[in-house]
Amino acid sequence: MILAEAIEVTRRYGDVTALDRVSLRVTEGELVGLLGPNGAGKTTLASLLTGVRRPDSGTVTLCGGDPRDPRTRRTLGVTPQETGLPATLRVGEVVDFVGAHYPDPVPRAELLDQFGLTDLVRRQTGGLSGGQKRRLAIALAFVGRPRVVVLDEPTTGLDVQARRGLWDAIKAYHAGGGTVLLSSHYLEEIEALADRVVVLGHGRVLADDTVTAVRGMVGVRRVSFAHDGEPPALPGVVATELREGRTHLLTPDSDQLVRALVASGVDFRDLEVAPTSLEEAFLAITQSETLATAA
Ligand SMILES: Nc1ncnc2c1ncn2[C@@H]1O[C@H](COP(=O)(O)OP(=O)(O)OP(=O)(O)O)[C@@H](O)[C@H]1O
Protein backbone atom coordinates (compact mmCIF):
# COMPACT_ATOMS: atom_id res chain seq x y z
CA MET A 1 0.00 0.00 0.00
CA ILE A 2 1.17 3.53 -0.83
CA LEU A 3 1.35 5.60 2.36
CA ALA A 4 2.69 8.89 1.03
CA GLU A 5 2.63 10.10 -2.53
CA ALA A 6 3.42 13.26 -4.44
CA ILE A 7 2.55 13.34 -8.14
CA GLU A 8 4.06 16.05 -10.37
CA VAL A 9 4.09 18.51 -7.51
CA THR A 10 5.19 22.08 -8.05
CA ARG A 11 5.51 24.68 -5.29
CA ARG A 12 6.73 28.24 -5.70
CA TYR A 13 7.52 30.98 -3.22
CA GLY A 14 7.29 34.18 -5.27
CA ASP A 15 9.96 33.84 -7.93
CA VAL A 16 11.59 30.79 -6.32
CA THR A 17 10.50 27.39 -7.60
CA ALA A 18 11.15 25.24 -4.55
CA LEU A 19 9.74 22.08 -6.16
CA ASP A 20 9.45 21.53 -9.89
CA ARG A 21 7.15 18.64 -10.90
CA VAL A 22 8.40 16.31 -8.18
CA SER A 23 6.98 12.82 -7.86
CA LEU A 24 7.65 10.52 -4.94
CA ARG A 25 5.95 7.38 -3.70
CA VAL A 26 6.56 5.80 -0.31
CA THR A 27 5.01 2.37 0.26
CA GLU A 28 4.17 0.76 3.58
CA GLY A 29 7.19 -0.46 5.53
CA GLU A 30 9.74 1.53 3.55
CA LEU A 31 12.43 3.74 5.08
CA VAL A 32 13.26 6.36 2.48
CA GLY A 33 16.04 8.90 2.80
CA LEU A 34 15.65 12.34 1.26
CA LEU A 35 18.97 13.88 0.47
CA GLY A 36 19.85 17.26 -0.93
CA PRO A 37 21.92 20.37 -0.32
CA ASN A 38 20.57 23.51 1.38
CA GLY A 39 17.60 24.89 -0.52
CA ALA A 40 17.04 21.70 -2.56
CA GLY A 41 13.38 21.55 -1.53
CA LYS A 42 13.42 18.85 1.17
CA THR A 43 11.52 20.86 3.78
CA THR A 44 9.01 22.04 1.21
CA LEU A 45 8.34 18.46 0.10
CA ALA A 46 7.97 17.33 3.73
CA SER A 47 5.56 20.21 4.42
CA LEU A 48 3.37 19.24 1.45
CA LEU A 49 3.29 15.57 2.44
CA THR A 50 2.37 16.48 6.01
CA GLY A 51 -0.34 18.95 5.01
CA VAL A 52 1.40 22.06 6.33
CA ARG A 53 1.45 23.59 2.86
CA ARG A 54 -0.48 23.07 -0.34
CA PRO A 55 1.15 22.47 -3.72
CA ASP A 56 0.59 25.03 -6.51
CA SER A 57 -0.03 22.13 -8.85
CA GLY A 58 0.10 18.35 -8.67
CA THR A 59 -1.41 16.11 -6.01
CA VAL A 60 -0.30 14.87 -2.62
CA THR A 61 -1.84 12.01 -0.66
CA LEU A 62 -1.14 10.57 2.74
CA CYS A 63 -2.49 7.12 3.62
CA GLY A 64 -4.85 7.49 0.68
CA GLY A 65 -6.31 10.79 1.92
CA ASP A 66 -5.67 14.51 1.93
CA PRO A 67 -2.79 15.32 4.31
CA ARG A 68 -4.66 18.47 5.37
CA ASP A 69 -7.56 16.40 6.70
CA PRO A 70 -7.22 15.87 10.49
CA ARG A 71 -8.44 12.28 10.17
CA THR A 72 -5.61 11.51 7.76
CA ARG A 73 -3.10 13.31 9.93
CA ARG A 74 -3.85 11.01 12.86
CA THR A 75 -1.86 8.31 11.04
CA LEU A 76 1.14 10.62 10.79
CA GLY A 77 4.07 11.44 13.06
CA VAL A 78 6.08 14.55 12.25
CA THR A 79 9.18 16.29 13.47
CA PRO A 80 9.56 19.62 11.74
CA GLN A 81 12.95 21.33 11.58
CA GLU A 82 11.95 23.84 14.25
CA THR A 83 9.85 22.77 17.19
CA GLY A 84 8.13 24.94 19.77
CA LEU A 85 7.56 23.24 23.13
CA PRO A 86 5.54 24.88 25.93
CA ALA A 87 8.38 26.09 28.17
CA THR A 88 6.69 25.63 31.54
CA LEU A 89 5.40 22.11 30.99
CA ARG A 90 7.47 19.19 32.20
CA VAL A 91 8.75 16.56 29.76
CA GLY A 92 6.34 13.92 31.11
CA GLU A 93 3.42 16.35 30.88
CA VAL A 94 4.17 17.19 27.26
CA VAL A 95 4.29 13.49 26.39
CA ASP A 96 0.94 12.92 28.14
CA PHE A 97 -0.59 15.99 26.52
CA VAL A 98 0.38 15.03 22.99
CA GLY A 99 -0.40 11.34 23.61
CA ALA A 100 -3.94 12.27 24.74
CA HIS A 101 -4.76 13.23 21.14
CA TYR A 102 -4.37 9.63 20.00
CA PRO A 103 -6.51 6.54 20.65
CA ASP A 104 -3.65 4.22 21.65
CA PRO A 105 -0.58 6.25 22.65
CA VAL A 106 2.75 4.67 23.55
CA PRO A 107 2.92 4.67 27.39
CA ARG A 108 4.98 7.60 28.72
CA ALA A 109 7.66 5.46 30.41
CA GLU A 110 8.15 3.31 27.32
CA LEU A 111 8.50 6.31 25.01
CA LEU A 112 10.90 8.17 27.31
CA ASP A 113 13.01 5.05 27.71
CA GLN A 114 13.16 4.50 23.94
CA PHE A 115 14.43 8.03 23.37
CA GLY A 116 16.78 8.21 26.36
CA LEU A 117 14.64 10.82 28.14
CA THR A 118 13.72 8.94 31.31
CA ASP A 119 15.94 11.04 33.57
CA LEU A 120 14.37 14.24 32.26
CA VAL A 121 10.74 13.32 32.94
CA ARG A 122 10.26 16.01 35.61
CA ARG A 123 12.23 18.77 33.89
CA GLN A 124 10.43 21.77 32.41
CA THR A 125 11.03 21.87 28.66
CA GLY A 126 12.19 25.50 28.86
CA GLY A 127 15.23 24.31 30.81
CA LEU A 128 16.27 21.58 28.39
CA SER A 129 19.34 21.89 26.19
CA GLY A 130 18.86 22.24 22.44
CA GLY A 131 19.72 18.57 21.88
CA GLN A 132 17.35 17.42 24.64
CA LYS A 133 14.50 19.47 23.16
CA ARG A 134 15.22 17.95 19.80
CA ARG A 135 15.09 14.42 21.21
CA LEU A 136 11.79 15.17 22.90
CA ALA A 137 10.35 16.65 19.70
CA ILE A 138 11.33 13.51 17.82
CA ALA A 139 9.93 11.22 20.51
CA LEU A 140 6.61 13.08 20.21
CA ALA A 141 6.41 12.13 16.53
CA PHE A 142 6.13 8.50 17.64
CA VAL A 143 3.75 8.80 20.61
CA GLY A 144 0.57 8.15 18.59
CA ARG A 145 1.92 4.92 17.01
CA PRO A 146 1.85 6.51 13.54
CA ARG A 147 1.72 4.46 10.35
CA VAL A 148 4.14 6.86 8.74
CA VAL A 149 6.62 9.37 10.17
CA VAL A 150 8.17 12.29 8.35
CA LEU A 151 11.37 13.46 10.00
CA ASP A 152 12.89 16.62 8.58
CA GLU A 153 16.59 16.66 9.47
CA PRO A 154 15.85 15.04 12.83
CA THR A 155 19.38 14.79 14.17
CA THR A 156 20.64 18.29 13.36
CA GLY A 157 22.36 19.64 16.45
CA LEU A 158 22.62 16.29 18.24
CA ASP A 159 25.91 14.88 19.43
CA VAL A 160 27.14 11.54 18.10
CA GLN A 161 25.78 9.50 21.00
CA ALA A 162 22.33 11.10 20.87
CA ARG A 163 22.27 10.66 17.11
CA ARG A 164 23.05 6.97 17.37
CA GLY A 165 20.41 6.54 20.08
CA LEU A 166 17.91 8.11 17.76
CA TRP A 167 18.93 5.89 14.87
CA ASP A 168 18.21 2.88 17.09
CA ALA A 169 14.74 4.22 17.91
CA ILE A 170 14.00 4.85 14.21
CA LYS A 171 15.30 1.38 13.32
CA ALA A 172 13.11 -0.21 16.00
CA TYR A 173 10.04 1.61 14.68
CA HIS A 174 10.86 0.53 11.14
CA ALA A 175 11.55 -3.08 12.21
CA GLY A 176 8.04 -3.12 13.69
CA GLY A 177 6.60 -2.31 10.25
CA GLY A 178 6.70 1.51 10.48
CA THR A 179 7.16 3.66 7.40
CA VAL A 180 9.67 6.52 7.46
CA LEU A 181 10.58 9.44 5.23
CA LEU A 182 13.67 11.09 6.62
CA SER A 183 15.55 14.06 5.25
CA SER A 184 19.12 14.59 6.24
CA HIS A 185 22.31 16.47 5.59
CA TYR A 186 24.20 13.68 7.31
CA LEU A 187 24.89 11.25 4.57
CA GLU A 188 26.12 8.57 6.90
CA GLU A 189 22.67 8.80 8.47
CA ILE A 190 20.98 7.90 5.18
CA GLU A 191 23.50 5.11 4.61
CA ALA A 192 22.96 3.77 8.13
CA LEU A 193 19.17 3.80 7.99
CA ALA A 194 17.73 3.82 4.50
CA ASP A 195 17.73 1.32 1.66
CA ARG A 196 16.29 3.79 -0.76
CA VAL A 197 17.42 7.34 -1.31
CA VAL A 198 15.77 10.17 -3.19
CA VAL A 199 18.24 12.88 -4.15
CA LEU A 200 16.73 16.35 -4.58
CA GLY A 201 18.55 19.24 -6.22
CA HIS A 202 17.16 22.58 -7.38
CA GLY A 203 13.63 21.38 -6.65
CA ARG A 204 13.88 18.31 -8.84
CA VAL A 205 14.38 14.60 -8.22
CA LEU A 206 17.90 13.84 -9.44
CA ALA A 207 17.90 10.21 -8.38
CA ASP A 208 15.50 7.77 -6.75
CA ASP A 209 17.03 4.36 -6.17
CA THR A 210 18.76 2.12 -3.67
CA VAL A 211 21.71 3.63 -1.83
CA THR A 212 23.98 1.18 -3.63
CA ALA A 213 22.51 1.98 -7.03
CA VAL A 214 22.82 5.73 -6.54
CA ARG A 215 26.45 5.27 -5.67
CA GLY A 216 26.90 3.01 -8.70
CA MET A 217 24.97 5.36 -10.97
CA VAL A 218 27.44 8.15 -10.59
CA GLY A 219 30.24 5.59 -10.41
CA VAL A 220 32.53 8.10 -8.79
CA ARG A 221 35.82 6.65 -7.58
CA ARG A 222 38.51 8.03 -5.36
CA VAL A 223 42.05 7.97 -6.67
CA SER A 224 44.51 8.88 -3.94
CA PHE A 225 48.28 9.02 -3.75
CA ALA A 226 51.19 10.68 -1.99
CA HIS A 227 53.59 12.94 -3.86
CA ASP A 228 55.79 15.99 -3.36
CA GLY A 229 55.00 19.44 -4.66
CA GLU A 230 51.84 20.93 -6.16
CA PRO A 231 48.90 18.64 -7.03
CA PRO A 232 48.92 17.87 -10.76
CA ALA A 233 46.13 19.18 -13.03
CA LEU A 234 44.48 16.08 -14.48
CA PRO A 235 41.42 15.53 -16.69
CA GLY A 236 38.05 14.20 -15.49
CA VAL A 237 38.46 15.23 -11.86
CA VAL A 238 35.19 16.32 -10.19
CA ALA A 239 36.70 17.13 -6.78
CA THR A 240 40.17 17.45 -5.25
CA GLU A 241 41.07 17.13 -1.60
CA LEU A 242 44.43 17.31 0.18
CA ARG A 243 44.33 15.31 3.38
CA GLU A 244 46.90 13.64 5.64
CA GLY A 245 49.71 14.26 3.18
CA ARG A 246 47.80 12.64 0.31
CA THR A 247 46.01 13.98 -2.72
CA HIS A 248 42.49 12.59 -3.20
CA LEU A 249 40.87 12.97 -6.61
CA LEU A 250 37.25 12.03 -7.33
CA THR A 251 36.51 10.94 -10.85
CA PRO A 252 33.88 9.04 -12.84
CA ASP A 253 36.68 7.41 -14.90
CA SER A 254 39.49 6.18 -12.68
CA ASP A 255 41.19 4.24 -15.53
CA GLN A 256 41.59 7.38 -17.61
CA LEU A 257 42.76 9.35 -14.59
CA VAL A 258 45.42 6.82 -13.62
CA ARG A 259 46.71 6.75 -17.22
CA ALA A 260 46.89 10.56 -17.22
CA LEU A 261 48.61 10.53 -13.84
CA VAL A 262 51.31 8.17 -15.10
CA ALA A 263 51.71 10.18 -18.33
CA SER A 264 52.04 13.43 -16.35
CA GLY A 265 55.36 12.24 -14.94
CA VAL A 266 54.34 13.08 -11.34
CA ASP A 267 56.46 11.14 -8.89
CA PHE A 268 53.56 9.57 -6.95
CA ARG A 269 53.63 6.86 -4.27
CA ASP A 270 51.08 4.54 -2.61
CA LEU A 271 48.41 4.82 -5.31
CA GLU A 272 44.93 3.71 -4.21
CA VAL A 273 41.70 3.50 -6.19
CA ALA A 274 38.58 3.04 -4.06
CA PRO A 275 34.78 3.36 -4.29
CA THR A 276 33.37 6.55 -2.80
CA SER A 277 30.97 7.14 0.05
CA LEU A 278 27.42 8.17 -0.68
CA GLU A 279 28.35 11.68 0.34
CA GLU A 280 30.90 11.89 -2.43
CA ALA A 281 28.48 10.37 -4.94
CA PHE A 282 25.88 12.89 -3.87
CA LEU A 283 28.25 15.81 -4.29
CA ALA A 284 29.12 14.59 -7.75
CA ILE A 285 25.43 14.34 -8.74
CA THR A 286 24.56 17.80 -7.45
CA GLN A 287 27.70 19.27 -8.93
CA SER A 288 26.98 17.91 -12.40
CA GLU A 289 23.40 19.19 -12.00
CA THR A 290 24.77 22.66 -11.17
CA LEU A 291 27.04 22.53 -14.20
CA ALA A 292 24.16 21.39 -16.42
CA THR A 293 21.96 24.20 -15.09
CA ALA A 294 24.69 26.78 -15.64
CA ALA A 295 25.33 25.56 -19.21
N1 LIG B 1 8.67 30.57 3.16
C1 LIG B 1 9.49 30.75 2.13
N2 LIG B 1 9.51 31.93 1.43
C2 LIG B 1 10.33 32.10 0.37
N3 LIG B 1 11.19 31.15 -0.09
C3 LIG B 1 11.22 29.98 0.55
C4 LIG B 1 10.38 29.72 1.69
N4 LIG B 1 10.64 28.46 2.13
C5 LIG B 1 11.59 27.96 1.31
N5 LIG B 1 11.94 28.87 0.36
C6 LIG B 1 12.92 28.67 -0.72
O1 LIG B 1 12.57 27.48 -1.42
C7 LIG B 1 13.74 26.72 -1.73
C8 LIG B 1 13.65 25.33 -1.11
O2 LIG B 1 13.71 25.48 0.31
P1 LIG B 1 13.57 24.25 1.33
O3 LIG B 1 13.56 24.82 2.71
O4 LIG B 1 12.42 23.40 0.92
O5 LIG B 1 14.93 23.46 1.04
P2 LIG B 1 15.68 22.38 1.94
O6 LIG B 1 16.19 21.35 0.99
O7 LIG B 1 14.81 21.90 3.04
O8 LIG B 1 16.89 23.22 2.52
P3 LIG B 1 17.66 23.06 3.94
O9 LIG B 1 18.48 21.84 3.81
O10 LIG B 1 18.49 24.30 3.97
O11 LIG B 1 16.63 22.98 5.02
C9 LIG B 1 14.91 27.55 -1.24
O12 LIG B 1 15.38 28.32 -2.32
C10 LIG B 1 14.30 28.45 -0.17
O13 LIG B 1 15.01 29.67 -0.06
Side-chain angles (χ1 to χ4, degrees):
M1 176 173 182
I2 300 164
L3 288 197
E5 188 169 33
I7 304 170
E8 290 279 311
V9 160
T10 295
R11 169 73 206 212
R12 291 185 199 88
Y13 302 102
D15 293 344
V16 178
T17 302
L19 293 175
D20 183 10
R21 286 163 293 141
V22 164
S23 295
L24 171 74
R25 176 182 279 188
V26 181
T27 55
E28 188 152 26
E30 269 194 302
L31 199 168
V32 179
L34 195 57
L35 204 60
N38 287 125
K42 303 181 297 298
T43 298
T44 302
L45 183 55
S47 70
L48 298 183
L49 289 168
T50 56
V52 176
R53 291 200 170 94
R54 247 190 260 258
D56 293 324
S57 62
T59 51
V60 180
T61 52
L62 186 75
C63 297
D66 181 347
R68 299 177 70 85
D69 180 341
R71 281 168 303 181
T72 311
R73 293 168 63 84
R74 215 165 280 157
T75 59
L76 169 74
V78 193
T79 300
Q81 256 181 38
E82 314 261 326
T83 330
L85 295 165
T88 54
L89 286 192
R90 298 178 196 282
V91 168
E93 290 169 339
V94 173
V95 171
D96 291 346
F97 175 72
V98 176
H101 291 76
Y102 296 94
D104 178 28
V106 177
R108 175 211 270 203
E110 186 182 323
L111 189 78
L112 293 179
D113 178 53
Q114 225 180 351
F115 287 86
L117 294 165
T118 304
D119 294 346
L120 302 174
V121 63
R122 296 193 49 75
R123 288 270 293 279
Q124 289 185 316
T125 67
L128 297 178
S129 74
Q132 290 166 338
K133 279 185 189 153
R134 193 90 198 117
R135 262 153 59 206
L136 175 57
I138 295 156
L140 292 174
F142 292 85
V143 70
R145 302 187 196 277
R147 287 181 76 188
V148 53
V149 290
V150 176
L151 304 172
D152 192 11
E153 296 178 25
T155 60
T156 302
L158 294 187
D159 62 28
V160 174
Q161 200 189 347
R163 196 181 302 166
R164 292 201 179 267
L166 194 76
W167 290 359
D168 288 342
I170 294 171
K171 280 183 194 163
Y173 167 76
H174 180 232
T179 305
V180 185
L181 179 67
L182 165 128
S183 81
S184 184
H185 278 239
Y186 297 109
L187 299 140
E188 81 270 21
E189 184 156 278
I190 302 271
E191 287 197 293
L193 295 173
D195 298 325
R196 180 175 152 213
V197 57
V198 174
V199 182
L200 274 189
H202 304 290
R204 285 193 281 139
V205 174
L206 304 181
D208 179 352
D209 215 320
T210 61
V211 171
T212 317
V214 166
R215 213 194 274 132
M217 197 157 51
V218 285
V220 174
R221 289 182 161 253
R222 167 191 293 277
V223 175
S224 69
F225 50 87
H227 70 102
D228 301 319
E230 288 296 301
L234 296 167
V237 175
V238 295
T240 304
E241 223 179 279
L242 301 176
R243 193 154 39 83
E244 291 151 14
R246 293 175 67 80
T247 296
H248 299 258
L249 305 175
L250 299 187
T251 178
D253 188 345
S254 53
D255 295 337
Q256 182 208 24
L257 182 62
V258 170
R259 274 188 226 111
L261 177 65
V262 173
S264 74
V266 169
D267 188 16
F268 64 86
R269 305 178 297 281
D270 299 333
L271 179 73
E272 275 178 20
V273 179
T276 52
S277 69
L278 181 60
E279 174 157 20
E280 291 160 330
F282 156 72
L283 281 175
I285 297 179
T286 47
Q287 191 166 353
S288 56
E289 166 73 7
T290 308
L291 293 176
T293 310

